[in-house]
Amino acid sequence: MSQVNQKRIAVNTILLYGRMFLVLLVGLYTVNVIRDALGDNDIDIYGLIGSIVAMFSFLSNSMAGASQRYFAYELGRDDSTRLKNVYSLITTLFIVITIVLVVRIEIFGYLWLTNVADIPADRMDAAKWVFHCAVVSFAITLMATPLRAVIIAHENMKVFAYMSILEVSLNLAVAIAISHTTYDRLVMYALLMIAAPFATTLLYYIYCRGHYKECRYSYYWNRELVKEITEYTGWNMFGSFASVCRSQGLNLILNGYPGSALLNAARFYAYKIYSALTQLIDNFYTATKPQIIKSYSAGETQSMLKLINQSSKFSFYLAFLIALPLLVETPYILEFWLEDELPEKTVIFTRLLLVNALLELFTYPIATGVQATGRVKWYQIFVGGTLLLLLPVAICIKRFTSLPAEYVFYASICITVLAHIGRLCFAKTILQLSVAQYIKAVILPILMVTVTSAVIPCIMVSYMNSCFVRFISVLAVCVLCTSVSVWILGMTASERSTIIESVKAFINRNRNSRNDNN
């Protein structure tokens, strides 16, 4: 990978991480406002219905991946005509898919809501409003997917960051508004939550049409290209379906445990933190994914493999820097955030989901490399099939054992590890990725950094009483220990040298800029 591309990745990563921290802070505060306004029971209803709608998002997720892959691939080939045709064709497909999905969700989702869901009778009318509004919001978000894919393929992360900040700000405004309404707050929240995706989708359209020539939609149909995209999307759809079933299916399974309302509330809060960390991870891969695909389309296979290894390692370091204090101080953070008695199992659910998120991050670079080749059939069959094992395993745990609900999440962690072992085997065949080199360059440094970073914070938590002073002290020590461990044990000499040179160049550039201004 060229130095220019590495700098672009670095700049885009900084932009996305800055965006993420703002989104994280506003998002966590928004959840607190919503919790006070709605209460645990209405939050449980909203989360349950959201899970049903999200179950259908596997198709949109796979199409989003296909859009980013084909846009980045054509940019790597520098074929503007084919890029415009691909954009028009993918937009046409999204229009059709949106119509089909909305009809199916309204039919099957409504039947589930009215005949199966465990919702109090006096809240059923409100739940129906939530369901219909969630479908509309989902449709609007789905139609924005090709526009976001174009921006990401062009690596214009500044716009992507601004849009995300706008959307989370609108969500906060909605949360504040419903806390002051006298109308049914759950219904009002569902209605107003349509505003954020509508506003951002409109702005995405205006920006893309004004800045990218390919974003001039005209009806285009190419049977061979449709077949190629459909086959690629179809197999990715199976992988996305498996991922969605694994995450959202657990919500339905927990709904069958005694005290399901409190368990789902605990999972709701745990998944908010889990989602924040996974979004943090996604930021790094959003910056690196176009470069991996462009490297492959340009024939730079060795550069692609090097970037896969580096992005796997450094993304873990960045995520672990956040995850370690969250794992060590989970009870204090949750109590401080929610400012009330925690639903039972919230702490253990949160910790297990954070561990699962750290393991899942190894998925992204290898998956992107495989997807860049277009050879995804057997890869998705194995990985998707492995992930789907969680549902029968979780059902068996619930029905045939007396184990508590958290063992479902232990099973999820085991299956995540098993799926990644399979990914490495496929990467060895499809990408000629050296598993031995991957273990040496990625796994071993990560293990050393994880162990050495966690020792001192864990000792501090064991011997100090929980309080704000301990939290600040542990946070500082986590950051220091992780940074030192990464620098000494987690990087090669050449990587340390590259970072030092980049920092010096950045300082000199800013110094020269100030001198020129003077």
Side-chain angles (χ1 to χ4, degrees):
M1 184 62 59
S2 67
Q3 184 66 24
V4 172
N5 289 335
Q6 288 179 351
K7 288 181 178 179
R8 176 175 290 181
I9 290 173
V11 170
N12 286 337
T13 301
I14 292 170
L15 284 170
L16 290 172
Y17 270 91
R19 154 202 174 264
M20 189 57 233
F21 279 116
L22 287 174
V23 169
L24 175 62
L25 291 175
V26 177
L28 291 177
Y29 178 72
T30 301
V31 171
N32 215 16
V33 175
I34 294 170
R35 179 175 180 269
D36 291 339
L38 298 182
D40 286 340
N41 289 333
D42 278 355
I43 284 180
D44 179 38
I45 293 172
Y46 191 87
L48 187 61
I49 293 172
S51 297
I52 297 304
V53 177
M55 287 287 286
F56 291 85
S57 68
F58 66 91
L59 182 54
S60 65
N61 292 338
S62 58
M63 280 298 296
S67 302
Q68 292 179 27
R69 187 264 179 186
Y70 278 92
F71 292 153
Y73 193 89
E74 298 306 330
L75 285 171
R77 294 174 58 186
D78 196 23
D79 189 337
S80 58
T81 300
R82 184 173 167 87
L83 177 61
K84 184 180 185 304
N85 291 338
V86 167
Y87 172 80
S88 296
L89 180 59
I90 287 178
T91 301
T92 300
L93 291 175
F94 265 95
I95 293 171
V96 175
I97 289 169
T98 300
I99 295 172
V100 172
L101 276 182
V102 167
V103 172
R104 290 189 175 184
I105 295 173
E106 281 287 348
I107 293 174
F108 296 109
Y110 188 81
L111 289 174
W112 178 89
L113 176 66
T114 55
N115 295 284
V116 179
D118 183 15
I119 294 175
D122 62 330
R123 300 303 291 154
M124 181 56 73
D125 288 339
K128 291 177 181 178
W129 275 100
V130 171
F131 173 74
H132 295 307
C133 290
V135 173
V136 172
S137 179
F138 172 73
I140 295 171
T141 302
L142 189 59
M143 287 307 302
T145 303
L147 302 171
R148 286 195 299 269
V150 168
I151 290 174
I152 291 171
H154 281 277
E155 302 180 69
N156 192 349
M157 304 308 173
K158 183 184 294 185
V159 173
F160 185 67
Y162 289 160
M163 291 295 186
S164 299
I165 293 171
L166 172 63
E167 185 169 9
V168 77
S169 300
L170 290 173
N171 290 339
L172 175 59
V174 168
I176 294 174
I178 64 167
S179 64
H180 294 88
T181 184
T182 57
Y183 189 64
D184 188 309
R185 290 182 174 180
L186 181 60
V187 174
M188 185 60 67
Y189 180 61
L191 288 169
L192 292 178
M193 282 301 289
I194 297 174
F198 177 79
T200 52
T201 299
L202 180 61
L203 290 175
Y204 272 128
Y205 174 77
I206 293 171
Y207 181 86
C208 289
R209 184 172 177 82
H211 289 80
Y212 303 125
K213 293 181 180 179
E214 66 268 22
C215 295
R216 301 285 196 281
Y217 175 79
S218 59
Y219 179 77
Y220 175 79
W221 194 261
N222 182 303
R223 182 175 297 180
E224 291 300 318
L225 185 56
V226 169
K227 181 180 178 182
E228 180 183 341
I229 294 175
T230 302
E231 289 180 354
Y232 178 88
T233 303
W235 292 115
N236 279 337
M237 180 177 65
F238 178 70
S240 297
F241 174 74
S243 296
V244 170
C245 282
R246 184 185 64 164
S247 60
Q248 302 302 330
L250 288 183
N251 207 14
L252 303 181
I253 292 171
L254 289 176
N255 193 244
Y257 273 90
S260 60
L262 289 178
L263 287 177
N264 277 319
R267 183 184 179 275
F268 174 82
Y269 299 127
Y271 256 85
K272 284 297 180 181
I273 296 178
Y274 165 83
S275 298
L277 183 63
T278 54
Q279 287 177 43
L280 191 70
I281 296 166
D282 286 344
N283 284 327
F284 187 79
Y285 288 122
T286 299
T288 58
K289 185 175 182 178
Q291 289 293 338
I292 292 174
I293 297 173
K294 290 175 184 177
S295 295
Y296 178 81
S297 67
E300 300 175 2
T301 305
Q302 291 304 313
S303 295
M304 179 190 68
L305 293 175
K306 181 180 178 181
L307 183 56
I308 286 174
N309 285 345
Q310 288 182 336
S311 60
S312 297
K313 185 170 64 173
F314 284 98
S315 62
F316 182 91
Y317 298 155
L318 290 169
F320 189 68
L321 191 66
I322 305 299
L324 181 57
L326 289 175
L327 285 166
V328 174
E329 286 283 10
T330 307
Y332 180 84
I333 292 171
L334 288 172
E335 290 171 2
F336 179 81
W337 172 34
L338 299 176
E339 299 178 348
D340 203 350
E341 183 178 354
L342 299 177
E344 186 182 3
K345 305 288 187 181
T346 305
V347 173
I348 186 64
F349 283 5
T350 300
R351 282 175 166 162
L352 292 175
L353 283 171
L354 287 173
V355 171
N356 205 74
L358 289 172
L359 294 173
E360 285 176 343
L361 66 83
F362 293 105
T363 300
Y364 299 92
I366 291 178
T368 299
V370 173
Q371 289 167 359
T373 68
R375 299 163 58 189
V376 297
K377 177 180 178 180
W378 292 107
Y379 171 85
Q380 293 292 6
I381 288 175
F382 175 83
V383 173
T386 303
L387 294 178
L388 283 175
L389 285 175
L390 178 59
L391 294 183
V393 170
I395 291 172
C396 289
I397 291 173
K398 172 181 170 292
R399 293 192 62 181
F400 303 116
T401 74
S402 58
L403 295 173
E406 59 264 29
Y407 276 82
V408 171
F409 294 96
Y410 285 118
S412 178
I413 291 173
C414 293
I415 288 175
T416 297
V417 174
L418 180 62
H420 188 61
I421 293 173
R423 287 187 186 95
L424 287 176
C425 295
F426 278 95
K428 179 180 180 180
T429 302
I430 298 175
L431 302 175
Q432 286 74 54
L433 177 72
S434 170
V435 176
Q437 178 62 26
Y438 180 85
I439 293 173
K440 179 181 178 181
V442 179
I443 303 299
L444 291 181
I446 283 175
L447 287 175
M448 290 189 292
V449 168
T450 301
V451 173
T452 56
S453 301
V455 172
I456 297 178
C458 289
I459 293 174
M460 292 176 65
V461 170
S462 299
Y463 288 94
M464 296 176 65
N465 294 326
S466 179
C467 62
F468 182 73
V469 173
R470 190 189 79 173
F471 170 71
I472 295 298
S473 301
V474 169
L475 178 61
V477 170
C478 285
V479 172
L480 179 61
C481 289
T482 303
S483 301
V484 172
S485 297
V486 168
W487 186 258
I488 297 175
L489 302 174
M491 294 185 189
T492 64
S494 62
E495 288 168 346
R496 288 193 290 269
S497 177
T498 299
I499 289 176
I500 292 173
E501 291 174 2
S502 298
V503 171
K504 287 181 177 178
F506 178 78
I507 294 173
N508 290 333
R509 185 165 59 249
N510 287 344
R511 184 181 300 163
N512 294 335
S513 178
R514 287 196 299 269
N515 291 336
D516 292 340
N517 291 334
N518 292 334

